[in-house]
Amino acid sequence: MKNRSLVSINDYSKEEYLKILDIAEEFEKNPKQKILENYVVATLFFEPSTRTRLSFESAVNQLGGKVIGFTDAASSSVKKGESLKDTIKTVANYSDLIVMRHPLEGSARFASEVSAVPIINAGDGANQHPTQCLLDLYSIRKTQGKLDNLHIAFVGDLKYGRTVHSNVIALANFNCTFHFVSPFELKLPSAVKRHIKEKNLEYHQYTDLNEVIPFVDILYMTRIQRERFSDPVEYERVKNAYILNGNMLGNCKPNMKVLHPLPRVNEINENVDDMKEAYYFQQARNGVYVRQALMASILGIK
Amino acid sequence: MESKKTRKELIVSALENGTVIDHIPSKNVFQVIKILGLDSFDNQILFGTNLDSRRYGKKGIIKVKNKFFEKEEINKIAIAAPSATLIVIRDFEIIEKKAVEVPEVVDKFIKCINPNCVTNHENIPTRFAVIDKDAIKLQCHYCEKTTSKENFIFI
């Protein structure tokens, strides 16, 4: 993976992301190694995303690397009208690796074509956010001991949630059974289902969250946003149907874990937080190890 | 029928050197002229539309004197008029007659439908992979969204 950009989850093979997960395990055991001491990582956030930025910066800092960059476009030369190409080409002179977040879809792909240093996409509009996907795979494998033969439920906004799309595409490489729980208006798009069908895997669709809880290994919750509904009455009707409450978990499997990409609003009641099924904060922590593993691989250190 | 056929052949053979684009869907003739930049071309051009065709009912035809299309131009024709036939003429003889072929990759001349695609905001030539050659569905190399035939805007 040395010197290769990661823009879309499809850029790496199954073997390659398993390799990243293995390296991430090493970092989980020993996250503070001074292996990036001679490296500069640029974090270019053309739109703010505090959580993702801090996760990357923590990953670099714990490995002894230096971080340069900006936290939103308003504090950069973009405001003066500089093109994306010029920004990337310039910053590539100052750094060994660029992590970028941008509101426009395709921006990271374009950056990877003009940049002299590798690019890690930390989210390009509604398109891709591959490191979120990798950390989700890591979390699933860590809690279940494997990625094959699992029953995985995705809950909430399956239509617009890019995290769900990338995860489904990546998990279709493993022999999983998918369970999609969403309001009718926010069903998984057929372009994403195509990846499941191509691999001849099974999927089922539900509108009732309670139905899947007894038999799934992973319950992946996402937020339903009001602005996704053309009819506000429809939103009011469904908004409470996709909220996970602690008392709903009574008959779940003993190995079942609840994941969420965060930030959460109200879709997981706080009474779940202290239950053994809650894994979302650990999941966020795993993001640091996975990003360490990815950056170390791309820089050719691991 | 016979007289029409003779007349059609006369039009084709009237070209000494150049290319005939035949079997263009009638409604796409002006589009093909535009995307090939023929509207600002100095050579002699003859075109017709809503002509009778045995194969398609109605068809359009464009004849361009002293012009032999390059690969990139043929790709444009294939996207706008996949049923078209190219007839290359030299010294009044038909040198080559072939159906256009829908390419694997479409570069630079179609706009991505996604308003949030980086190609619609920065100075970046568009690029698509053709994911369905029959229905002509294009997947943007950048934003990964699909643009279908009915939404094509030629640039």
Side-chain angles (χ1 to χ4, degrees):
Chain A
M1 282 147 280
K2 191 177 177 190
N3 283 328
R4 260 175 62 200
S5 295
L6 177 61
V7 172
S8 160
I9 196 67
N10 307 315
D11 292 351
Y12 284 14
S13 68
K14 173 182 174 177
E15 289 68 34
E16 284 170 329
Y17 31 91
L18 288 175
K19 177 94 196 299
I20 303 272
L21 305 193
D22 291 343
I23 299 169
E25 273 178 9
E26 289 174 31
F27 281 114
E28 178 165 5
K29 286 180 204 127
N30 183 12
K32 293 183 201 294
Q33 312 172 27
K34 299 294 168 210
I35 57 173
L36 291 188
E37 258 179 336
N38 298 316
Y39 292 89
V40 175
V41 173
T43 54
L44 307 188
F45 279 62
F46 296 86
E47 67 175 2
S49 172
T50 309
R51 186 180 316 275
T52 303
R53 184 172 56 81
L54 293 181
S55 176
F56 269 106
E57 294 185 356
S58 169
V60 177
N61 283 321
Q62 293 192 56
L63 298 181
K66 306 282 180 297
V67 176
I68 59 169
F70 49 82
T71 60
D72 68 273
S75 60
S76 77
S77 48
V78 177
K79 210 183 163 198
K80 297 176 192 156
E82 187 179 53
S83 71
L84 177 59
K85 180 180 174 181
D86 288 8
T87 306
I88 296 295
K89 278 182 123 32
T90 307
V91 175
N93 290 326
Y94 308 153
S95 59
D96 300 292
L97 172 69
I98 295 175
V99 175
M100 70 177 276
R101 169 84 156 216
H102 198 286
L104 293 175
E105 287 128 39
S107 51
R109 177 70 65 200
F110 174 68
S112 75
E113 292 173 347
V114 297
S115 172
V117 300
I119 301 281
I120 295 177
N121 182 6
D124 61 325
N127 186 33
Q128 292 273 345
H129 189 6
T131 59
Q132 176 71 46
C133 182
L134 287 172
L135 78 90
D136 290 342
L137 291 182
Y138 185 84
S139 301
I140 294 170
R141 189 172 82 164
K142 186 162 166 64
T143 58
Q144 306 299 324
K146 59 180 182 178
L147 285 166
D148 288 294
N149 302 317
L150 294 171
H151 285 266
I152 300 181
F154 290 95
V155 183
D157 178 357
L158 309 187
K159 185 172 182 184
Y160 299 101
R162 67 178 171 198
T163 307
V164 173
H165 301 172
S166 308
N167 278 340
V168 169
I169 293 167
L171 285 164
N173 287 307
F174 303 90
N175 189 25
C176 289
T177 307
F178 297 93
H179 304 276
F180 299 119
V181 186
S182 73
F184 187 80
E185 281 204 354
L186 298 178
K187 269 172 41 180
L188 195 75
S190 53
V192 182
K193 283 182 195 147
R194 188 167 55 89
H195 294 269
I196 304 174
K197 289 177 187 160
E198 272 172 13
K199 300 276 163 65
N200 290 316
L201 298 177
E202 233 180 277
Y203 71 89
H204 306 276
Q205 302 187 90
Y206 312 79
T207 50
D208 182 1
L209 172 56
N210 287 297
E211 255 187 90
V212 300
I213 289 173
F215 58 82
V216 296
D217 303 300
I218 292 288
L219 192 61
Y220 197 104
M221 301 292 296
T222 65
R223 185 155 53 103
I224 293 180
Q225 291 165 276
R226 182 189 298 268
E227 55 271 26
R228 298 299 189 199
F229 285 82
S230 46
D231 180 359
V233 178
E234 182 61 20
Y235 171 75
E236 293 302 321
R237 203 174 61 76
V238 304
K239 69 175 186 190
N240 293 323
Y242 300 92
I243 292 178
L244 185 67
N245 202 300
N247 62 19
M248 292 159 71
L249 294 173
N251 61 346
C252 71
K253 285 169 77 172
N255 61 313
M256 196 270 251
K257 292 287 181 253
V258 179
L259 271 59
H260 190 298
L262 304 179
R264 143 182 78 171
V265 180
N266 65 344
E267 56 279 5
I268 303 176
N269 190 299
E270 284 190 22
N271 65 18
V272 179
D273 294 358
D274 296 324
M275 297 176 74
K276 70 172 179 31
E277 286 80 14
Y279 194 74
Y280 27 94
F281 293 114
Q282 177 65 41
Q283 181 187 356
R285 183 188 179 90
N286 292 341
V288 175
Y289 311 135
V290 168
R291 289 173 176 124
Q292 287 179 324
L294 180 64
M295 289 188 282
S297 300
I298 291 176
L299 290 170
I301 299 161
K302 287 274 175 180
Chain B
M1 266 321 268
E2 196 51 43
S3 67
K4 268 181 197 158
K5 195 172 171 241
T6 315
R7 195 186 53 164
K8 212 159 56 192
E9 280 177 353
L10 270 175
I11 294 170
V12 172
S13 57
L15 205 57
E16 183 181 349
N17 285 297
T19 308
V20 178
I21 311 168
D22 200 1
H23 302 122
I24 306 169
S26 286
K27 62 176 171 33
N28 293 347
V29 168
F30 292 100
Q31 191 175 45
V32 171
I33 288 171
K34 186 163 180 283
I35 63 173
L36 292 175
L38 298 177
D39 47 354
S40 55
F41 203 59
D42 292 331
N43 298 8
Q44 186 189 84
I45 299 168
L46 293 169
F47 67 91
T49 186
N50 296 321
L51 306 172
D52 292 322
S53 159
R54 265 176 301 168
R55 227 199 299 176
Y56 298 101
K58 295 282 180 193
K59 67 163 186 181
I61 191 165
I62 302 169
K63 304 183 353 174
V64 193
K65 192 176 176 181
N66 294 333
K67 169 75 187 168
F68 304 96
F69 293 104
E70 304 289 333
K71 182 94 187 131
E72 199 173 300
E73 294 168 308
I74 297 171
N75 285 348
K76 287 186 181 183
I77 300 169
I79 293 297
S83 62
T85 311
L86 281 189
I87 304 163
V88 179
I89 295 167
R90 288 184 200 271
D91 283 333
F92 298 106
E93 296 280 335
I94 292 177
I95 297 294
E96 197 186 2
K97 190 169 181 174
K98 60 171 184 195
V100 296
E101 227 178 285
V102 178
E104 305 280 337
V105 175
V106 169
D107 277 338
K108 297 178 189 160
F109 63 88
I110 303 242
K111 184 174 146 66
C112 180
I113 192 181
N114 176 9
N116 211 29
C117 176
V118 70
T119 59
N120 287 319
H121 296 264
E122 299 272 337
N123 181 23
I124 303 171
T126 63
R127 161 167 274 212
F128 300 89
V130 180
I131 53 169
D132 185 332
K133 283 195 174 187
D134 297 320
I136 315 201
K137 273 193 183 167
L138 309 181
Q139 185 179 34
C140 178
H141 167 71
Y142 293 101
C143 76
E144 305 181 20
K145 295 281 182 296
T146 306
T147 303
S148 304
K149 203 178 170 180
E150 57 276 16
N151 299 314
F152 285 172
I153 295 172
F154 290 86
I155 44 180

